[in-house]
Amino acid sequence: GAVVSQHPSRVICKSGTSVKIECRSLDFQATTMFWYRQFPKKSLMLMATSNEGSKATYEQGVEKDKFLINHASLTLSTLTVTSAHPEDSSFYICSAWRTRDEQFFGPGTRLTVL
Amino acid sequence: GNSVTQMEGPVTLSEEAFLTINCTYTATGYPSLFWYVQYPGEGLQLLLKATKADDKGSNKGFEATYRKETTSFHLEKGSVQVSDSAVYFCALTWNSGGYQKVTFGTGTKLQVIP
């Protein structure tokens, strides 16, 4: 099967610091990865599309300077939450597209900003 | 814009009961439709999909038919088990300007009691 990992699974940081979350496709190459945010008891909100070799595309309302995305290779995308604040606390999920209709999800990263 | 409307939960059923979770969509063009499942403490997994009208997706006893005339993709299972307890998400994907786009429903929590 297709496996997508995320690291770390949980992170607690102080307000004002930056946090990097990694998303890796372990057994396939993904030119496209998505980053989502999931609020408690709510659905997934697509934040941005990470494209290998080019700039990420951000959804409306998502600050690109706050949520930095780097798609360094065909198996790795990173999301950096810069100058994190308590309102950034959330569950962040990545997905990797193996084909046009096959999207595989990472297990998610719980970010808590104190 | 494209959107998905999913019935609100939680849905509580006894084991071996019939399950229906409604999902309707609004979309232009030719989207693909998906059901994802999120078991407690785990990431999202693809349950089934349908990429064109009248296609039926099926997996693990679950079925859903892509109905363009009613813009629906209702999830059904004839006899649920306790192990089916999870949150179910309906989703729609489409291509816009060469980029994959996706939107999720709000999720329906299913609880199956013995």
Side-chain angles (χ1 to χ4, degrees), chain A residues 32 34 36 38 41-44 46 49 51 54-55 57-59 91 93 97 99-108, chain B residues 6 30 32 34 36 38 41-46 49 51 87 89-90 93-95 99-107:
Chain A
T32 300
F34 280 9
Y36 296 89
Q38 186 176 28
K41 300 184 180 180
K42 298 267 187 188
S43 186
L44 282 74
L46 179 64
T49 300
N51 303 296
S54 63
K55 289 183 180 180
T57 55
Y58 290 81
E59 297 301 304
F91 195 57
I93 302 172
W97 291 81
T99 67
R100 193 176 72 95
D101 290 317
E102 289 184 301
Q103 178 181 200
F104 296 93
F105 289 84
Chain B
Q6 194 174 335
Y30 305 95
S32 296
F34 300 81
Y36 290 92
Q38 188 175 29
E42 298 185 16
L44 270 79
Q45 301 173 27
L46 175 65
K49 67 178 181 182
T51 58
V87 181
F89 292 93
C90 184
T93 67
W94 70 100
N95 190 278
Y99 292 101
Q100 278 294 84
K101 295 290 185 182
V102 61
T103 187
F104 280 79
T106 52

Side-chain angles (χ1 to χ4, degrees), chain B residues 14-15 23 27 60 92 97:
Chain B
S14 297
E15 208 165 20
C23 171
K60 299 181 181 179
L92 179 153

